[in-house]
Short mmCIF file of all heavy atoms in Angstrom, two decimals:
data_model
loop_
_atom_site.label_atom_id
_atom_site.label_comp_id
_atom_site.label_asym_id
_atom_site.label_seq_id
_atom_site.Cartn_x
_atom_site.Cartn_y
_atom_site.Cartn_z
N PRO A 24 82.10 82.68 28.49
CA PRO A 24 83.23 83.47 28.67
C PRO A 24 84.01 83.76 27.38
O PRO A 24 83.82 83.06 26.43
CB PRO A 24 84.04 82.67 29.57
CG PRO A 24 83.71 81.27 29.31
CD PRO A 24 82.25 81.24 28.87
N TYR A 25 84.88 84.76 27.41
CA TYR A 25 85.66 85.04 26.24
C TYR A 25 86.52 83.90 25.80
O TYR A 25 87.15 83.16 26.68
CB TYR A 25 86.50 86.20 26.56
CG TYR A 25 87.56 86.54 25.43
CD1 TYR A 25 87.05 87.40 24.35
CD2 TYR A 25 88.78 86.07 25.39
CE1 TYR A 25 87.96 87.79 23.32
CE2 TYR A 25 89.63 86.45 24.34
CZ TYR A 25 89.19 87.16 23.31
OH TYR A 25 90.02 87.48 22.28
N THR A 26 86.66 83.63 24.54
CA THR A 26 87.71 82.90 23.93
C THR A 26 88.19 83.56 22.70
O THR A 26 87.44 84.43 22.15
CB THR A 26 87.19 81.46 23.51
OG1 THR A 26 86.28 81.61 22.47
CG2 THR A 26 86.58 80.69 24.65
N ASP A 27 89.38 83.39 22.32
CA ASP A 27 89.88 83.97 21.03
C ASP A 27 88.99 83.68 19.88
O ASP A 27 88.87 84.56 18.97
CB ASP A 27 91.34 83.59 20.80
CG ASP A 27 92.25 84.18 21.82
OD1 ASP A 27 91.96 85.24 22.34
OD2 ASP A 27 93.36 83.62 22.00
N ALA A 28 88.37 82.52 19.79
CA ALA A 28 87.45 82.23 18.67
C ALA A 28 86.20 83.21 18.65
O ALA A 28 85.66 83.38 17.63
CB ALA A 28 86.97 80.80 18.85
N LEU A 29 85.85 83.73 19.85
CA LEU A 29 84.69 84.60 19.88
C LEU A 29 85.10 86.12 19.65
O LEU A 29 84.22 86.99 19.59
CB LEU A 29 83.97 84.47 21.20
CG LEU A 29 83.23 83.17 21.46
CD1 LEU A 29 82.71 83.10 22.87
CD2 LEU A 29 82.16 83.07 20.44
N ALA A 30 86.38 86.35 19.52
CA ALA A 30 86.82 87.73 19.26
C ALA A 30 86.16 88.38 18.10
O ALA A 30 85.75 89.59 18.16
CB ALA A 30 88.38 87.78 19.15
N PRO A 31 86.04 87.69 16.91
CA PRO A 31 85.30 88.39 15.82
C PRO A 31 83.81 88.81 16.13
O PRO A 31 83.39 89.83 15.70
CB PRO A 31 85.24 87.31 14.74
CG PRO A 31 86.46 86.46 15.06
CD PRO A 31 86.55 86.47 16.60
N ALA A 32 83.07 87.96 16.93
CA ALA A 32 81.75 88.38 17.41
C ALA A 32 81.79 89.62 18.31
O ALA A 32 80.94 90.49 18.22
CB ALA A 32 81.12 87.21 18.10
N PHE A 33 82.87 89.69 19.16
CA PHE A 33 82.97 90.89 19.94
C PHE A 33 83.07 92.16 19.08
O PHE A 33 82.46 93.12 19.35
CB PHE A 33 84.17 90.73 20.94
CG PHE A 33 84.49 91.86 21.90
CD1 PHE A 33 83.63 92.11 22.92
CD2 PHE A 33 85.48 92.75 21.59
CE1 PHE A 33 83.87 93.15 23.73
CE2 PHE A 33 85.79 93.75 22.53
CZ PHE A 33 84.95 94.02 23.55
N HIS A 34 83.94 92.10 18.07
CA HIS A 34 84.20 93.22 17.19
C HIS A 34 82.88 93.43 16.39
O HIS A 34 82.41 94.55 16.36
CB HIS A 34 85.35 92.86 16.18
CG HIS A 34 85.73 94.02 15.38
ND1 HIS A 34 84.94 94.47 14.32
CD2 HIS A 34 86.78 94.85 15.42
CE1 HIS A 34 85.57 95.52 13.75
NE2 HIS A 34 86.66 95.73 14.41
N GLU A 35 82.32 92.46 15.73
CA GLU A 35 81.15 92.62 14.86
C GLU A 35 79.98 93.28 15.59
O GLU A 35 79.35 94.17 15.07
CB GLU A 35 80.79 91.27 14.29
CG GLU A 35 79.55 91.32 13.35
CD GLU A 35 79.26 89.92 12.85
OE1 GLU A 35 80.15 89.16 12.50
OE2 GLU A 35 78.07 89.61 12.85
N ILE A 36 79.56 92.69 16.69
CA ILE A 36 78.40 93.19 17.46
C ILE A 36 78.54 94.62 17.84
O ILE A 36 77.73 95.50 17.75
CB ILE A 36 78.10 92.22 18.61
CG1 ILE A 36 77.61 90.96 18.13
CG2 ILE A 36 77.08 92.93 19.55
CD1 ILE A 36 77.56 89.83 19.25
N ASN A 37 79.78 94.96 18.44
CA ASN A 37 79.94 96.38 18.92
C ASN A 37 80.21 97.30 17.75
O ASN A 37 79.68 98.46 17.82
CB ASN A 37 81.17 96.33 19.92
CG ASN A 37 80.73 95.91 21.20
OD1 ASN A 37 79.94 96.57 21.93
ND2 ASN A 37 81.25 94.77 21.72
N ALA A 38 80.92 96.93 16.79
CA ALA A 38 81.19 97.84 15.68
C ALA A 38 79.84 98.19 14.95
O ALA A 38 79.66 99.39 14.59
CB ALA A 38 82.23 97.28 14.63
N ALA A 39 78.93 97.25 14.92
CA ALA A 39 77.69 97.49 14.27
C ALA A 39 76.85 98.55 14.93
O ALA A 39 76.42 99.54 14.31
CB ALA A 39 76.89 96.15 14.19
N TRP A 40 76.71 98.46 16.36
CA TRP A 40 75.87 99.43 17.04
C TRP A 40 76.54 100.80 17.08
O TRP A 40 75.88 101.84 17.01
CB TRP A 40 75.40 98.87 18.31
CG TRP A 40 76.28 98.95 19.51
CD1 TRP A 40 77.07 97.89 19.92
CD2 TRP A 40 76.68 100.12 20.28
NE1 TRP A 40 77.73 98.27 21.11
CE2 TRP A 40 77.54 99.65 21.33
CE3 TRP A 40 76.17 101.43 20.35
CZ2 TRP A 40 78.01 100.41 22.31
CZ3 TRP A 40 76.70 102.17 21.38
CH2 TRP A 40 77.67 101.74 22.20
N ILE A 41 77.90 100.78 17.24
CA ILE A 41 78.56 102.08 17.47
C ILE A 41 78.50 102.82 16.13
O ILE A 41 78.18 103.99 16.05
CB ILE A 41 80.07 101.84 17.95
CG1 ILE A 41 80.06 101.24 19.31
CG2 ILE A 41 80.78 103.21 17.88
CD1 ILE A 41 81.42 100.80 19.80
N ALA A 42 78.80 102.08 15.06
CA ALA A 42 78.78 102.76 13.72
C ALA A 42 77.35 103.18 13.28
O ALA A 42 77.18 104.20 12.58
CB ALA A 42 79.39 101.86 12.70
N ASP A 43 76.36 102.50 13.73
CA ASP A 43 74.99 102.77 13.48
C ASP A 43 74.57 104.12 14.11
O ASP A 43 73.83 104.93 13.52
CB ASP A 43 74.08 101.64 13.86
CG ASP A 43 72.65 101.93 13.45
OD1 ASP A 43 72.38 102.29 12.23
OD2 ASP A 43 71.72 101.83 14.33
N MET A 44 75.05 104.37 15.36
CA MET A 44 74.64 105.55 16.15
C MET A 44 75.64 106.60 16.21
O MET A 44 75.22 107.83 16.33
CB MET A 44 74.33 105.07 17.55
CG MET A 44 73.07 104.15 17.66
SD MET A 44 72.61 103.72 19.37
CE MET A 44 71.80 105.27 19.81
N PHE A 45 76.93 106.26 16.06
CA PHE A 45 77.98 107.29 16.26
C PHE A 45 79.06 107.04 15.25
O PHE A 45 78.78 106.54 14.14
CB PHE A 45 78.56 107.17 17.63
CG PHE A 45 77.54 107.18 18.77
CD1 PHE A 45 77.09 106.04 19.40
CD2 PHE A 45 77.03 108.38 19.13
CE1 PHE A 45 76.13 106.05 20.37
CE2 PHE A 45 76.00 108.42 20.15
CZ PHE A 45 75.61 107.29 20.80
N THR A 46 80.34 107.35 15.51
CA THR A 46 81.53 107.13 14.81
C THR A 46 82.42 106.24 15.58
O THR A 46 82.61 106.59 16.79
CB THR A 46 82.17 108.43 14.30
OG1 THR A 46 81.28 109.19 13.57
CG2 THR A 46 83.38 108.22 13.52
N LEU A 47 82.98 105.23 15.01
CA LEU A 47 83.97 104.46 15.66
C LEU A 47 85.21 105.38 15.88
O LEU A 47 85.83 105.97 15.04
CB LEU A 47 84.39 103.20 14.87
CG LEU A 47 83.55 102.03 14.90
CD1 LEU A 47 83.98 101.00 13.78
CD2 LEU A 47 83.54 101.37 16.31
N GLU A 48 85.62 105.63 17.21
CA GLU A 48 86.70 106.30 17.62
C GLU A 48 87.96 105.47 17.69
O GLU A 48 87.89 104.24 17.77
CB GLU A 48 86.38 106.97 18.98
CG GLU A 48 85.13 107.97 18.89
CD GLU A 48 84.84 108.64 20.27
OE1 GLU A 48 85.75 108.73 21.09
OE2 GLU A 48 83.65 108.84 20.46
N PRO A 49 89.10 106.02 17.77
CA PRO A 49 90.33 105.23 17.76
C PRO A 49 90.38 104.30 19.02
O PRO A 49 90.77 103.12 18.88
CB PRO A 49 91.46 106.25 17.88
CG PRO A 49 90.86 107.46 17.19
CD PRO A 49 89.42 107.50 17.45
N HIS A 50 89.92 104.76 20.13
CA HIS A 50 89.84 103.85 21.34
C HIS A 50 88.91 102.65 21.11
O HIS A 50 89.26 101.55 21.44
CB HIS A 50 89.38 104.68 22.53
CG HIS A 50 89.23 103.92 23.81
ND1 HIS A 50 90.37 103.50 24.44
CD2 HIS A 50 88.17 103.40 24.38
CE1 HIS A 50 89.97 102.69 25.48
NE2 HIS A 50 88.60 102.69 25.51
N ASP A 51 87.77 102.84 20.41
CA ASP A 51 86.90 101.81 20.02
C ASP A 51 87.65 100.79 19.13
O ASP A 51 87.58 99.53 19.40
CB ASP A 51 85.63 102.25 19.20
CG ASP A 51 84.77 103.14 19.95
OD1 ASP A 51 84.50 102.90 21.16
OD2 ASP A 51 84.32 104.13 19.38
N GLU A 52 88.31 101.26 18.15
CA GLU A 52 89.02 100.40 17.17
C GLU A 52 90.07 99.52 17.85
O GLU A 52 90.19 98.40 17.59
CB GLU A 52 89.68 101.11 16.03
CG GLU A 52 88.64 101.77 15.04
CD GLU A 52 88.06 100.64 14.11
OE1 GLU A 52 88.46 99.49 14.17
OE2 GLU A 52 87.16 100.92 13.40
N HIS A 53 90.84 100.18 18.82
CA HIS A 53 91.86 99.43 19.43
C HIS A 53 91.24 98.34 20.26
O HIS A 53 91.72 97.15 20.19
CB HIS A 53 92.67 100.39 20.38
CG HIS A 53 93.63 99.66 21.20
ND1 HIS A 53 94.81 99.02 20.64
CD2 HIS A 53 93.65 99.28 22.48
CE1 HIS A 53 95.45 98.42 21.60
NE2 HIS A 53 94.76 98.54 22.73
N VAL A 54 90.23 98.70 21.12
CA VAL A 54 89.74 97.63 21.99
C VAL A 54 88.95 96.54 21.21
O VAL A 54 89.13 95.36 21.50
CB VAL A 54 88.68 98.33 22.98
CG1 VAL A 54 87.87 97.28 23.77
CG2 VAL A 54 89.45 99.30 23.90
N LEU A 55 88.25 96.91 20.18
CA LEU A 55 87.54 95.89 19.45
C LEU A 55 88.41 94.92 18.55
O LEU A 55 88.16 93.83 18.34
CB LEU A 55 86.46 96.56 18.52
CG LEU A 55 85.32 97.39 19.15
CD1 LEU A 55 84.52 97.99 18.13
CD2 LEU A 55 84.60 96.44 20.05
N SER A 56 89.50 95.54 18.10
CA SER A 56 90.50 94.81 17.36
C SER A 56 91.51 93.96 18.13
O SER A 56 92.03 93.04 17.68
CB SER A 56 91.24 95.76 16.41
OG SER A 56 90.51 96.38 15.50
N HIS A 57 91.59 94.33 19.49
CA HIS A 57 92.67 93.66 20.35
C HIS A 57 91.93 93.37 21.67
O HIS A 57 92.46 93.83 22.74
CB HIS A 57 93.87 94.52 20.48
CG HIS A 57 94.47 94.97 19.23
ND1 HIS A 57 95.25 94.12 18.40
CD2 HIS A 57 94.48 96.18 18.51
CE1 HIS A 57 95.67 94.75 17.37
NE2 HIS A 57 95.18 96.00 17.32
N PRO A 58 90.87 92.71 21.70
CA PRO A 58 90.24 92.47 23.03
C PRO A 58 91.13 91.69 24.03
O PRO A 58 90.95 92.00 25.30
CB PRO A 58 88.94 91.66 22.74
CG PRO A 58 89.23 90.96 21.44
CD PRO A 58 90.16 91.97 20.67
N ARG A 59 91.89 90.77 23.63
CA ARG A 59 92.68 90.00 24.53
C ARG A 59 93.70 91.05 25.23
O ARG A 59 93.84 91.03 26.46
CB ARG A 59 93.42 88.84 23.95
CG ARG A 59 94.41 88.18 24.88
CD ARG A 59 94.95 86.91 24.36
NE ARG A 59 93.94 85.86 24.40
CZ ARG A 59 93.47 85.27 25.58
NH1 ARG A 59 93.85 85.58 26.68
NH2 ARG A 59 92.53 84.29 25.46
N GLU A 60 94.42 91.84 24.37
CA GLU A 60 95.38 92.73 24.85
C GLU A 60 94.73 93.86 25.74
O GLU A 60 95.31 94.18 26.78
CB GLU A 60 96.13 93.26 23.68
CG GLU A 60 97.11 94.49 24.03
CD GLU A 60 97.55 95.21 22.79
OE1 GLU A 60 97.82 94.48 21.74
OE2 GLU A 60 97.75 96.41 22.90
N ALA A 61 93.67 94.42 25.25
CA ALA A 61 93.06 95.62 25.84
C ALA A 61 92.25 95.21 27.07
O ALA A 61 92.19 96.16 27.97
CB ALA A 61 92.15 96.32 24.85
N ILE A 62 91.71 94.05 27.21
CA ILE A 62 90.82 93.73 28.31
C ILE A 62 91.30 92.52 29.15
O ILE A 62 91.58 92.61 30.23
CB ILE A 62 89.34 93.58 27.82
CG1 ILE A 62 88.88 94.94 27.19
CG2 ILE A 62 88.47 93.13 28.96
CD1 ILE A 62 87.59 94.75 26.42
N ILE A 63 91.32 91.39 28.49
CA ILE A 63 91.56 90.04 29.12
C ILE A 63 92.93 89.98 29.80
O ILE A 63 93.06 89.68 30.98
CB ILE A 63 91.36 88.87 28.13
CG1 ILE A 63 89.91 88.88 27.52
CG2 ILE A 63 91.77 87.58 28.79
CD1 ILE A 63 88.88 88.68 28.57
N ASP A 64 93.98 90.41 29.07
CA ASP A 64 95.37 90.27 29.64
C ASP A 64 95.61 91.30 30.71
O ASP A 64 96.57 91.15 31.45
CB ASP A 64 96.35 90.44 28.59
CG ASP A 64 96.44 89.23 27.60
OD1 ASP A 64 95.80 88.18 27.88
OD2 ASP A 64 97.05 89.35 26.51
N ARG A 65 94.70 92.28 30.82
CA ARG A 65 94.90 93.33 31.94
C ARG A 65 93.94 92.96 33.16
O ARG A 65 93.88 93.85 34.05
CB ARG A 65 94.46 94.67 31.35
CG ARG A 65 95.43 95.11 30.21
CD ARG A 65 95.09 96.48 29.59
NE ARG A 65 94.89 97.57 30.61
CZ ARG A 65 93.83 98.30 30.66
NH1 ARG A 65 92.91 98.23 29.78
NH2 ARG A 65 93.69 99.20 31.64
N GLY A 66 93.34 91.79 33.13
CA GLY A 66 92.56 91.36 34.23
C GLY A 66 91.06 91.63 34.05
O GLY A 66 90.27 91.48 35.00
N GLY A 67 90.69 91.96 32.87
CA GLY A 67 89.27 92.24 32.61
C GLY A 67 88.47 91.03 32.19
O GLY A 67 89.07 89.96 32.16
N VAL A 68 87.33 91.21 31.88
CA VAL A 68 86.33 90.09 31.52
C VAL A 68 85.49 90.51 30.36
O VAL A 68 85.09 91.64 30.15
CB VAL A 68 85.35 89.84 32.70
CG1 VAL A 68 84.23 88.88 32.37
CG2 VAL A 68 85.98 89.57 33.98
N ILE A 69 85.32 89.61 29.44
CA ILE A 69 84.44 89.72 28.34
C ILE A 69 83.47 88.51 28.35
O ILE A 69 83.89 87.32 28.42
CB ILE A 69 85.17 89.74 26.93
CG1 ILE A 69 86.09 90.93 26.86
CG2 ILE A 69 84.04 89.87 25.83
CD1 ILE A 69 87.02 91.02 25.62
N LEU A 70 82.10 88.79 28.33
CA LEU A 70 81.15 87.75 28.32
C LEU A 70 80.31 87.82 27.04
O LEU A 70 80.23 88.95 26.45
CB LEU A 70 80.22 87.89 29.57
CG LEU A 70 80.86 87.74 30.95
CD1 LEU A 70 79.86 87.96 32.00
CD2 LEU A 70 81.53 86.42 31.00
N PHE A 71 79.75 86.79 26.67
CA PHE A 71 78.90 86.69 25.51
C PHE A 71 77.51 86.04 25.94
O PHE A 71 77.49 85.12 26.74
CB PHE A 71 79.47 85.81 24.39
CG PHE A 71 80.69 86.39 23.84
CD1 PHE A 71 81.92 86.20 24.52
CD2 PHE A 71 80.73 87.25 22.81
CE1 PHE A 71 83.15 86.74 24.02
CE2 PHE A 71 81.89 87.80 22.28
CZ PHE A 71 83.08 87.56 22.96
#
């Protein structure tokens, strides 16, 4: 499950594939940089 210690891995893994195939959009940057705020604190789930 998500922990704040894993937040850098969330950003790194996703930023890599998105930037490789597309362009990181503002929505991507927000979610990847603030996963607790954008997902967890709103009732969402992040798994690794």
Side-chain angles (χ1 to χ4, degrees):
Y25 176 86
T26 65
D27 289 334
L29 291 173
F33 181 72
H34 188 285
E35 180 183 316
I36 291 167
N37 280 295
W40 78 260
I41 295 169
D43 184 52
M44 295 186 74
F45 307 103
T46 299
L47 281 169
E48 299 179 29
H50 180 72
D51 296 317
E52 285 289 356
H53 174 74
V54 172
L55 296 179
S56 297
H57 307 284
R59 174 167 290 286
E60 172 190 325
I62 299 171
I63 301 297
D64 290 348
R65 295 178 52 228
V68 173
I69 301 173
L70 298 178
F71 297 85

